[in-house]
Amino acid sequence: MNTIIEPFRIKSVEPLRHTTPEERQGYLEQAGYNLFLIEARHILIDLLTDSGTNAMSTAQWAAIMRGDESYAGSESFFRLKRVADELTGFRHMVPTHQGRAAERILFTVMCKPGQVVPSNTHFDTTRANIEFTGARAVDLPIPEAADTQAHVDFKGNMDVAALESLVASEGAARIPLVMLTVTNNSGGGQPVSMANIEAVKRVCAQHGIPFYLDACRFAENAWFIREREPGYADWTPKRIAQKMFSLADGCTFSAKKDAFANIGGFLCSNDDRVAQQETNLLILTEGFPTYGGLAGRDLEAIAVGLEEILEPDYLRYRIVSTGYLGRHIADRGVPIVEPPGGHAIYIDAARMLPHIPPRQFPGQALAVELYRHAGIRSVEIGSVMFGDAARHELLRLAIPRRVYTQSHIDYVVEAILEVNARKQQICGMEIVEEPPFLRHFSARFRPHP
Ligand code: F0G
């Protein structure tokens, strides 16, 4: 059988509410054409993010009922710790309320003003948290990543030669740690190969620089390694993930992605001294080390989710269904970041809408049109989000885990193809109001005259 079915059945459902194009035009005007400012009940298919939007399993909901809400020494913490320890092998783990809390604690402990933190590509909260300490966040993607149309198996890799020259020019003492984001979200949801993780590890070890994973989508990355990297075809995703973690000195993790949770995260480290400082800061800002800003029930959901996410049937379906959306639009002429990533499809809006210059935000224009046409919410990743630093004008369609069925995705495909058929009529946008930073969340727009 070739049909890949959703490897779950549905026990509890949430209604979706249809709206008319006229109603959606009204919501757009009220929201200043910013989809972050539209109420979720006015969205039909929400592809804004795959973060915290997962559907939990019956086993997760059952575990939630046994959540131990003790302030100190909660059983739920030890359950999560056992699962995380077995998976990651790191000496220390503290829970945090989400990924960026782990980042803030890690960088506050490790970074000083004037230092440099390289990554394949930093996610925006990672970059912001590094820069908040006065250090500089540097992206070192491989050169092929610049071409959205290049088909490369591990397009999320770090440019190891660029890392070596950065270490040579800055000096190892100015690099408090090296990060690798798996999968590379800002780089199109593209995976990182085991060989690349090993090569980065070698450079770090040679210079005594700690090496951390931003492990948000570690399971999707492990599946890509199994499928594409010679030597791993008969490894379980879990064994691949264990090897990935074994090469690092620590990790940050957002459980809102590859742990099927709606909230949560953790921070791991092998360094006793760093871990002690992290724990001190955790108590100050998150909570006691056995709950770290979460309820006991959240710790339970994460513990169960971390095991479910590594099921081969799930990961096969996950990667095939994301690819299904990508192929069905790309093969009919919609330019996407090739090849399809793990958690999202990114449309190259600059290439699709060449009549809209970057300063008129082609990604935002496309996001608005897709909502107006079909009630689908996506997110611009381009000049609205990054200003002049934007490398591409992308529209991200992120797929929540286990939430939408194939017919939902077929609807998305149909809507995108219909919008693509009359793309010449889409006009650019201009900003009428914006905050001083992270403007994409609250800026207001209007159609360019
Ligand atoms: N690192 C990566 C690679 C991420 O994608 C995210 C979040 C974070 C860190 C921060 O984690 O949200 O739990 O604080 N990404 C979401 C997204 C928001 O839509 O891509 P968080």
Side-chain angles (χ1 to χ4, degrees), residues 140-218:
L140 303 174
I142 53 169
E144 295 91 318
D147 176 5
T148 60
Q149 302 308 295
H151 285 257
V152 179
D153 277 349
F154 292 100
K155 218 173 170 179
N157 280 355
M158 180 183 273
D159 182 340
V160 179
L163 176 64
E164 281 172 323
S165 41
L166 184 83
V167 176
S169 63
E170 294 288 338
R174 279 165 56 100
I175 304 182
L177 74 162
V178 172
M179 299 281 297
L180 258 187
T181 313
V182 295
T183 58
N184 189 341
N185 181 8
S186 310
Q190 301 289 331
V192 177
S193 69
M194 191 71 86
N196 192 250
I197 302 175
E198 287 170 322
V200 171
K201 163 76 184 175
R202 262 195 305 279
V203 175
C204 289
Q206 203 183 337
H207 297 278
I209 303 171
F211 169 42
Y212 276 67
L213 292 178
D214 175 341
C216 290
R217 299 177 181 86
F218 75 96

Side-chain angles (χ1 to χ4, degrees), residues 145-301:
D147 176 5
T148 60
Q149 302 308 295
H151 285 257
V152 179
D153 277 349
F154 292 100
K155 218 173 170 179
N157 280 355
M158 180 183 273
D159 182 340
V160 179
L163 176 64
E164 281 172 323
S165 41
L166 184 83
V167 176
S169 63
E170 294 288 338
R174 279 165 56 100
I175 304 182
L177 74 162
V178 172
M179 299 281 297
L180 258 187
T181 313
V182 295
T183 58
N184 189 341
N185 181 8
S186 310
Q190 301 289 331
V192 177
S193 69
M194 191 71 86
N196 192 250
I197 302 175
E198 287 170 322
V200 171
K201 163 76 184 175
R202 262 195 305 279
V203 175
C204 289
Q206 203 183 337
H207 297 278
I209 303 171
F211 169 42
Y212 276 67
L213 292 178
D214 175 341
C216 290
R217 299 177 181 86
F218 75 96
E220 291 171 6
N221 201 84
W223 187 260
F224 279 116
I225 288 175
R226 185 179 187 275
E227 295 287 285
R228 295 183 183 171
E229 193 161 352
Y232 294 98
D234 54 7
W235 285 42
T236 62
K238 181 173 178 180
R239 188 170 160 218
I240 296 172
Q242 285 170 324
K243 180 168 175 187
M244 288 163 52
F245 285 115
S246 76
L247 292 162
D249 301 302
C251 74
T252 55
F253 180 63
S254 167
K256 300 173 75 172
K257 285 84 169 172
D258 274 358
F260 288 129
N262 299 124
I263 195 69
F266 55 71
L267 171 59
C268 295
S269 161
N270 276 338
D271 183 321
D272 298 346
R273 199 182 49 84
V274 165
Q276 188 55 55
Q277 289 174 276
E278 287 170 353
T279 303
N280 295 343
L281 198 54
L282 183 88
I283 293 171
L284 198 66
T285 59
E286 290 281 293
F288 192 75
T290 60
Y291 72 85
L294 294 169
R297 54 180 171 268
D298 301 323
L299 303 173
E300 294 280 351

Side-chain angles (χ1 to χ4, degrees), residues 380-402:
E380 192 261 14
I381 300 194
S383 292
V384 175
M385 196 176 270
F386 298 123
D388 293 338
R391 293 204 196 104
H392 298 290
E393 302 297 333
L394 304 178
L395 182 75
R396 185 181 77 171
L397 305 153
I399 308 176
R401 294 170 187 75
R402 302 191 295 208

